[in-house]
Amino acid sequence: MSETSLSIGAAGLLRAGNRVLIQALLLALTALQFVALLSPAQAPLLGDIAAVLVAVFLPPAFLRARTATRVLFGLLAAAVVGATLLTGSLEPVWRGLHNAMLLGAFLSVLQLLRAVAHGGPAILAVRRRLARLRPREVEGGFAVGAFGLGSFLSFGAHAVLAPLLPADAAAADKRAAALASVRGICFTAFWSPFFVGVAYVTHQMHGTDSGMVILTGLVLSLLALGADLALGRTGPVSLGRIIHALLPLAPLGAAIAAVFLGIMALTGMSAMGAVVVGVPFVSAGLLLVNGIRQAPKALKTALTGLVYGSDELLLVAAANVFAAVLTEVPGFAATVAPFLAGLPPLPLLLAVFAIMLAAGACGFHPAISAAVLLGIFAVQPAPVEPLCLAVALVMGWSLAVTVSPVGVTMMVAAQMFAVPFPRLLFSRNLAGTVVVAVAAAVLLAGLNGLLQG
């Protein structure tokens, strides 16, 4: 055997070992968080153990990450080192790692739900019905389909919708369908607790009613979707056919929503905590209904998905640590907080959207801008109702992903629909993102006025 063959074989073994290590760490992290949520008395100790696991997770996750993720993580790591030297304390670093425990468990259980639900009869029935839509209804169908499927499949909805296009579809049709799918998922991320933005913000702003954040986001998402359909000239008849195609999802969606709302109501958990606790039970129920023979394949898919989802956790964990350290830098919060907190409600909300969109366009993960803003407002509360600020942060997170050159949702859409990534990034969705952000800021400022009376 040649030396080249040996080196290739050794590299393959190292990659396989790295993959298994990531899977083992995330499974352990998820188990610790699950127990901590059900047994709050043990949470501090389990949190300390999990913080160590997160720290151990970072190097192998970095090794298998995409180049763009590595670059961004490297910048964050350098910033953390510099800020830590200024603060002279490692306590914020430890606190940031501690906070990443729930995020790791959340992202892990999502892989399980996506794998179990993807092959279920409801999803297959929707796929068949959407395939029968008329040509002029297709774009609206992809937007509404992504909105419905994305509410619990997240960006996995792209994988369900993309095969509906004919194999010989024109490039323009593929691009239009992909962009519609991206918009639908973006809108559903305004409210769905299965998206990191909703879960992260409601967890960090634990004094805010998660249910009201979700409800307000849902109303705004429906307004955005309605406006999008109107611009695409999707009339009432076509909309009726599209909704009919999605009806098989109704029982599944209602059952999942009932489980998580019930957990939140009975335990007072955040949306993120309710997902971590509820998904294993929901997935077990789906496997019993759909056929237990699907379990091995679904579990294998979920286990594989843990590795592919490690990129996002790598950045979100780093963002947590960065925000925790940055807000402890002498003079930072004291300088920035009065400027933002001194703005009237509408300019403040516009500034939140502008900061998150600008950071997203520069390639920064929304967790970074959201974490820094939350840290600033923790020092000096904003002059807006917490509900309005939370919804603005959630929507800003979702919209930032659609303008990001490293956004996962956009990358998955490009891959699933076989459209060059730049053709999705530079599109009418850019202008639509700005319009939605401005309109949302105006509506939230109005809601703030009503709440403050």
Side-chain angles (χ1 to χ4, degrees):
M1 185 178 293
S2 68
E3 185 176 336
T4 302
S5 299
L6 286 173
S7 61
I8 293 174
L13 286 174
L14 287 174
R15 284 194 297 270
N18 193 57
R19 183 168 60 248
V20 171
L21 177 59
I22 290 173
Q23 291 169 335
L25 288 169
L26 290 180
L27 287 174
L29 194 66
T30 303
L32 288 172
Q33 182 61 80
F34 186 86
V35 175
L37 287 166
L38 295 179
S39 180
Q42 304 298 320
L45 173 61
L46 296 177
D48 289 341
I49 298 172
V52 174
L53 292 182
V54 172
V56 174
F57 160 83
L58 297 179
F62 177 83
L63 289 175
R64 75 148 307 278
R66 291 177 291 122
T67 301
T69 301
R70 290 184 184 184
V71 170
L72 187 51
F73 180 84
L75 292 173
L76 283 171
V80 167
V81 171
T84 300
L85 291 174
L86 290 174
T87 62
S89 171
L90 290 174
E91 192 277 332
V93 175
W94 180 253
R95 189 169 69 246
L97 292 172
H98 215 283
N99 290 339
M101 172 185 179
L102 185 55
L103 288 163
F106 173 79
L107 291 170
S108 297
V109 297
L110 280 190
Q111 296 294 339
L112 176 61
L113 179 63
R114 187 177 297 138
V116 171
H118 191 276
I123 302 297
L124 297 177
V126 168
R127 179 180 285 176
R128 287 193 298 269
R129 292 188 181 197
L130 286 174
R132 292 197 292 266
L133 292 178
R134 297 165 184 163
R136 62 184 178 83
E137 297 168 342
V138 169
E139 188 172 345
F142 273 92
V144 179
F147 185 88
L149 292 166
S151 62
F152 53 90
L153 288 182
S154 183
F155 52 80
H158 292 314
V160 177
L161 294 170
L164 301 179
L165 285 173
D168 58 350
D173 293 337
K174 289 182 180 179
R175 181 173 184 258
L179 290 172
S181 187
V182 166
R183 293 195 299 275
I185 289 176
C186 171
F187 298 151
T188 202
F190 292 174
W191 66 274
S192 172
F194 298 116
F195 281 84
V196 182
V198 174
Y200 180 84
V201 172
T202 54
H203 176 65
Q204 296 296 323
M205 299 182 68
H206 47 79
T208 307
D209 187 333
S210 297
M212 287 303 300
V213 173
I214 291 171
L215 180 60
T216 305
L218 174 60
V219 171
L220 292 174
S221 71
L222 289 172
L223 289 174
L225 180 63
D228 183 74
L229 293 173
L231 289 173
R233 299 181 181 179
T234 301
V237 175
S238 294
L239 181 58
R241 284 172 51 81
I242 293 169
I243 292 174
H244 175 263
L246 296 173
L247 281 180
L249 289 178
L252 176 62
I256 291 175
V259 170
F260 295 116
L261 290 175
I263 292 174
M264 291 165 62
L266 292 173
T267 65
M269 288 182 190
S270 66
M272 193 187 296
V275 170
V276 171
V277 171
V279 161
F281 298 106
V282 168
S283 299
L286 288 174
L287 286 173
L288 288 174
V289 171
N290 298 340
I292 199 67
R293 287 178 298 180
Q294 295 184 15
K297 181 181 178 182
L299 293 175
K300 182 179 179 181
T301 302
L303 195 60
T304 302
L306 289 179
V307 179
Y308 293 118
S310 63
D311 268 40
E312 188 160 22
L313 179 57
L314 179 68
L315 289 180
V316 174
N320 252 320
V321 174
F322 172 67
V325 175
L326 182 64
T327 51
E328 295 294 326
V329 171
F332 174 78
T335 302
V336 179
F339 170 73
L340 285 175
L343 294 174
L346 179 56
L348 173 64
L349 291 167
L350 286 170
V352 167
F353 279 107
I355 290 169
M356 297 198 73
L357 288 176
C362 291
F364 289 99
H365 194 285
I368 301 170
S369 49
V372 171
L373 287 169
L374 283 166
I376 290 171
F377 291 129
V379 174
Q380 184 163 339
V384 297
E385 291 293 312
L387 170 64
C388 299
L389 178 61
V391 174
L393 288 168
V394 169
M395 293 183 68
W397 185 307
S398 175
L399 294 170
V401 171
T402 66
V403 300
S404 172
V406 294
V408 176
T409 299
M410 296 281 282
M411 288 185 173
V412 173
Q415 182 180 12
M416 293 294 103
F417 287 89
V419 178
F421 182 76
R423 296 204 67 217
L424 294 185
L425 187 60
F426 301 104
S427 66
R428 73 169 196 173
N429 283 7
L430 277 177
T433 295
V434 175
V435 171
V436 170
V438 173
V442 172
L443 291 173
L444 288 172
L447 175 61
N448 181 74
L450 290 174
L451 292 175
Q452 293 184 339

